[in-house]
C-alpha cells in the first residue's frame, strides 16, 4: 500500500513515469528491507533493454524523421488524393488514407497527429470543412500509427511479452485495415448528413502524373513490411534497410533531404529513443517487483471471480485498459498493465499473446483520444488552434466505431492472427 501511494503521489506532481517506476521500486525494497533485491536492481534494469529487438525502436524513429525532412509525407498525401478522386467528402477519405500510408512508416500516434495536422487541416479548411472536424478526423487517422507496422508500441509489447517482434507487427496489419474501412463507413454516413464538399476533380492524366511522382515513396513501406512478411529480414534489419531507403528516396527522388541535416535528425531520434528505452528499463524493474510481490496472482484470483471465459475477460480488459489509456500515455500504459494482465490472459484464459497485444495497444491508443486527458486532441489543438473538447464531440462517431472494432477483435481472434496462420 505504501508503494502504491508513493507511486501515485510522485506521478500526480508530474515526475516522469520512468522515474516514478524506479522510485516506487526502491520504496518497495526499502519497505521489505531486502539488500539482495537492491543488488539485483541495476541488473534487472540492464536486462530490460538487453534485447536485439529493441534496436528497431531508434531505427523506426529515424525513418520517420528522415521522411519528414525529405518531403516524403507530403507526397504520400498527394498519392492518396490521386486515388480518391472527386467523391463527396473526398478530402476526409484522403485524410484517413494518407494517415494509413504514413502510419506504415512513422509508427507513433502523437507524432503522426502533429505532422498530419499541419498537412491536412489547412487543406480541408480551404475546401470548406470545419476546422474542428478536420483536426479531430486527423487525430483518429493518427490512431493508425501504432497499429499498422512499424509500431514502437508493438516492439515494446514484444519485449515485455517475450514474443517475436515480427509476429506482433504482422498482427497489426488486419486490425489497421479494419479500422480504416470502418472510418470510411463513418465518413460516408456523415458526408450525407452534413453534405461534405467534393474534392477537386482531376483528369486521368493528372492522377497518373501524381501517382508516378509519388509512387517511389511507397518503396519505403514496401521494403519494411515486405521484407518482414517474406522472411528476408527480421524487423530490426528491415528497419535499418528502411532508414537507408528513406534517405535515398528523400535525396534522389524528392530531392528535399540533405545529408548535412543528418546530425540534427540523429540527435532528435536519439533523444526520443532514450526516453522510450529508459521506460522499457524501468518496466523491467517494475515487472520484476510485481512478480516478486505476487501481484499478478492476486489480480488473477479477482478477475476469475468476474470473468469466466476468454471473451468476458477481454471485454473486461478493454474497459480497464481504456480507462488507463485516458490518463496515461501509450508506452507507460503498456509498462504498467502488461506485466499484470498478460500472465492472466495467457495462463488462465489461454489467449494468444499476440492477439492480446493487439487488443492492449488499440485500447491504449484509443485512450489518447478520450477525456479527461485526450493527449492527441491537445497535440492537434496546439498545431491547428481547434478546441480539444469540441474536437471530441464532433468526431464522437469515430470513437464509437473504434469501440465496435475493439469488440470485434475481442470476439474474433482471426482478425489479428489471420496473417500469422
Amino acid at each position: 500500500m505504501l508503494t502504491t501511494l508513493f507511486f501515485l503521489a510522485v506521478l500526480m506532481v508530474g515526475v516522469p513515469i520512468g522515474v516514478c517506476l524506479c522510485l516506487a521500486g526502491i520504496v518497495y525494497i526499502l519497505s521489505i528491507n531486502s539488500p539482495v533485491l537492491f543488488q539485483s536492481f541495476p541488473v534487472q534494469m540492464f536486462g530490460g533493454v538487453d534485447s536485439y529487438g529493441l534496436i528497431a525502436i531508434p531505427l523506426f524513429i529515424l525513418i520517420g524523421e528522415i521522411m519528414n525532412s525529405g518531403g516524403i509525407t507530403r507526397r504520400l498525401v498527394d498519392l492518396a488524393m490521386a486515388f480518391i478522386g472527386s467523391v463527396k467528402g473526398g478530402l476526409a477519405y484522403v485524410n484517413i488514407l494518407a494517415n494509413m500510408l504514413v502510419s506504415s512508416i512513422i509508427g507513433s500516434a502523437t507524432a503522426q497527429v502533429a505532422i498530419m495536422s499541419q498537412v491536412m487541416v489547412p487543406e480541408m479548411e480551404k475546401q470548406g470543412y470545419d476546422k474542428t472536424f478536420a483536426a479531430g478526423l486527423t487525430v483518429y487517422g493518427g490512431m493508425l500509427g501504432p497499429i499498422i507496422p512499424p509500431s514502437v508500441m508493438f516492439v515494446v509489447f514484444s519485449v515485455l511479452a517475450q514474443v517475436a517482434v515480427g509476429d506482433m507487427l504482422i498482427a497489426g496489419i488486419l486490425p489497421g485495415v479494419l479500422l480504416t474501412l470502418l472510418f470510411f463507413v463513418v465518413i460516408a454516413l456523415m458526408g450525407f448528413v452534413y453534405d461534405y464538399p467534393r474534392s477537386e476533380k482531376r483528369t486521368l492524366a493528372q492522377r497518373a502524373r501524381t501517382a508516378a511522382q509519388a509512387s517511389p515513396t511507397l518503396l519505403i513501406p514496401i521494403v519494411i513490411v515486405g521484407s518482414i512478411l517474406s522472411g528476408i529480414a527480421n524487423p530490426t534489419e528491415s528497419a535499418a534497410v528502411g532508414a537507408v531507403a528513406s534517405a535515398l528516396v528523400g535525396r534522389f527522388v524528392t530531392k528535399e533531404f540533405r545529408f548535412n541535416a543528418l546530425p540534427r535528425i540523429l540527435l532528435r531520434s536519439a533523444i526520443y529513443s532514450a526516453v522510450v528505452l529508459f521506460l522499457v528499463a524501468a518496466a523491467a524493474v517494475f515487472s520484476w517487483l510485481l512478480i516478486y510481490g505476487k501481484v499478478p496472482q492476486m489480480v488473477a484470483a479477482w478477475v476469475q471471480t468476474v470473468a469466466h471465459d476468454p471473451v468476458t475477460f477481454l471485454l473486461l480488459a478493454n474497459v480497464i485498459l481504456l480507462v488507463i489509456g485516458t490518463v496515461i500515455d501509450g508506452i507507460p500504459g503498456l509498462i504498467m498493465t502488461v506485466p499484470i494482465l498478460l500472465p492472466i490472459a495467457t495462463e488462465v484464459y489461454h489467449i494468444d499473446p499476440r492477439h492480446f497485444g493487439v487488443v492492449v495497444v488499440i485500447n491504449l491508443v484509443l485512450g489518447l483520444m478520450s477525456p479527461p486527458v485526450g493527449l492527441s486532441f491537445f497535440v492537434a489543438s496546439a498545431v491547428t488552434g481547434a478546441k480539444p473538447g469540441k474536437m471530441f464531440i464532433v468526431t464522437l462517431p469515430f470513437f464509437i466505431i473504434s469501440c465496435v472494432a475493439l469488440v470485434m477483435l475481442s470476439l474474433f481472434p482471426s482478425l489479428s492472427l489471420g496473417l500469422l496462420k
Side-chain angles (χ1 to χ4, degrees), residues 102-191:
V102 173
S103 69
S104 66
I105 301 162
I106 293 180
S108 166
T110 50
Q112 186 164 324
V113 168
I115 294 164
M116 297 302 290
S117 292
Q118 298 175 54
V119 176
M120 293 304 307
V121 176
E123 189 65 31
M124 291 183 73
E125 274 193 283
K126 285 181 191 175
Q127 295 202 18
Y129 290 86
D130 175 65
K131 179 171 72 173
T132 303
F133 170 76
L137 180 64
T138 306
V139 167
Y140 280 96
M143 181 180 174
L144 301 172
I147 301 170
I148 296 177
S151 165
V152 173
M153 287 186 68
F154 277 153
V155 174
V156 173
F157 178 87
S158 300
V159 174
L160 294 173
Q162 296 297 298
V163 298
V165 176
D167 285 357
M168 281 307 309
L169 295 179
I170 294 170
I173 295 175
L174 291 181
V177 173
L178 172 66
L179 273 171
T180 301
L181 295 176
L182 290 175
F183 288 164
F184 280 177
V185 171
V186 173
I187 291 171
L189 295 175
M190 293 180 70

Side-chain angles (χ1 to χ4, degrees), residues 11-22:
L11 184 64
M12 293 299 291
V13 298
V15 177
I17 183 70
V19 178
C20 290
L21 292 170
C22 291

